[in-house]
Amino acid sequence: MSLRTALKALPTMLRIGFSEAVAYRAEMIIWVLATTMPLIMLALWSAVARGGPVGRFGQAEFTGYFLAAFCVRQMTSSWVAWLVSYEVKQGTLAMRLLRPISPLLAYATEVLAGIPLRVAIVLPVLGISLWVAGAERAVPTSLGGWGLFALGIVGAWLITFYLNVLLGTLSLFLESSQKLMEVYMVLFFVCSGYMFPVEFFPPGVRTVMEWLPFRYQMGLPVELMTGAHATKEAWELLAAQWTWVLGLGVVSMAVWRRGLARFAAFGG
């Protein structure tokens, strides 16, 4: 598939993906309800903060952080690992391989096409965050801050997508990659800043987490959204995040190509 073919097909694929997202909107609402962990954690940590601040977090800071975590989760989620694993087991991946468009591009557009619907869910939550926590704790307050946040959320989406491709492709090598996906989700919940800010960990543990990709999937965009970093520190963290993007991009593409060489499907 040439780049020109991919670019010509992209708008059509996004339109189809959006139509599917609208058609299956009930499924999306159920998925959104399954990602309300930040709202639960907000209630818990706000109760803790009534007795006094936890680090730099008072009740308003916790509100800004966890509502931002909910918004970032909606914008960066991906279910490609489960989709690839299912299509490998069912053999329906063969149908995608017969098309003149890369299956990975098709998976990516299916995920991206649902973002407009998720923005519709995010906006009211963002409004509540602005009202309760104040603008300085809810969103970037400068154009440069918005630029850093945009870079952070695109990097977070790419890391999540590449990790999903990698995990899904492992189903071509293993009998099932389901257990690995479950381990990945546990690590994501604990290490990404999804359930509590990464800075709550002891310094030694936090150093280890700086070397893992999970923090850059959730914690970093949330911190950039809530203005937790000075500009220099934000750029350093973004450099680490995009190093993960490039590394995972190379590894996941290499594993995908090797995995396809092992793929076989039989019709009946």
Side-chain angles (χ1 to χ4, degrees):
M1 181 192 63
S2 68
L3 179 61
R4 185 180 176 187
T5 304
L7 291 175
K8 283 179 68 176
L10 196 57
T12 303
M13 294 172 72
L14 287 171
R15 278 199 300 274
I16 294 171
F18 180 72
S19 299
E20 288 179 348
V22 172
Y24 294 103
R25 55 191 178 278
E27 183 179 286
M28 178 167 287
I29 290 171
I30 291 170
W31 185 89
V32 169
L33 292 175
T35 59
T36 53
M37 179 61 75
L39 306 183
I40 297 168
M41 299 310 295
L42 169 60
L44 291 174
W45 284 104
S46 292
V48 172
R50 281 197 200 103
V54 182
R56 66 179 178 87
F57 287 86
Q59 285 185 301
E61 285 77 12
F62 275 126
T63 300
Y65 182 91
F66 284 113
L67 292 186
F70 177 83
C71 296
V72 169
R73 179 77 167 130
Q74 305 309 315
M75 303 299 290
T76 61
S77 62
S78 174
W79 53 90
V80 170
W82 285 264
L83 196 54
V84 173
S85 179
Y86 175 80
E87 293 190 352
V88 168
K89 282 182 183 175
Q90 298 297 317
T92 51
L93 178 62
M95 298 301 294
R96 288 189 186 266
L97 293 172
L98 290 174
R99 298 170 187 165
I101 297 295
S102 164
L104 294 184
L105 182 61
Y107 291 134
T109 53
E110 284 177 25
V111 176
L112 289 171
I115 286 183
L117 285 183
R118 287 188 223 155
V119 168
I121 295 167
V122 162
L123 287 177
V125 175
L126 197 57
I128 293 170
S129 184
L130 283 166
W131 179 52
V132 176
E136 70 280 4
R137 300 183 189 90
V139 293
T141 52
S142 67
L143 192 58
W146 277 106
L148 292 171
F149 171 66
L151 273 174
I153 204 158
V154 171
W157 188 88
L158 286 170
I159 289 175
T160 305
F161 177 73
Y162 287 140
L163 279 173
N164 269 258
V165 170
L166 190 57
L167 287 167
T169 306
L170 289 178
S171 60
L172 290 161
F173 297 89
L174 309 171
E175 186 176 340
S176 171
S177 60
Q178 186 66 37
K179 294 296 180 188
L180 287 174
M181 288 186 243
E182 291 170 5
V183 171
Y184 160 73
M185 288 307 299
V186 170
L187 289 172
F188 171 79
F189 284 150
V190 174
C191 301
S192 69
Y194 186 56
M195 296 178 69
F196 35 79
V198 173
E199 61 199 82
F200 284 5
F201 284 94
V205 178
R206 203 164 62 219
T207 301
V208 174
M209 292 170 67
E210 298 284 346
W211 288 92
L212 299 174
F214 309 107
R215 188 258 176 95
Y216 304 105
Q217 291 178 264
M218 174 60 65
L220 178 59
V222 169
E223 290 157 13
L224 293 174
M225 188 170 174
T226 54
H229 301 295
T231 303
K232 183 183 176 186
E233 187 182 7
W235 277 113
E236 289 172 353
L237 289 166
L238 282 170
Q241 183 195 47
W242 279 85
T243 301
W244 270 109
V245 170
L246 294 174
L248 284 170
V250 170
V251 171
S252 62
M253 292 304 107
V255 174
W256 169 257
R257 290 192 186 97
R258 285 185 68 86
L260 285 186
R262 300 168 58 92
F263 177 67
F266 301 93

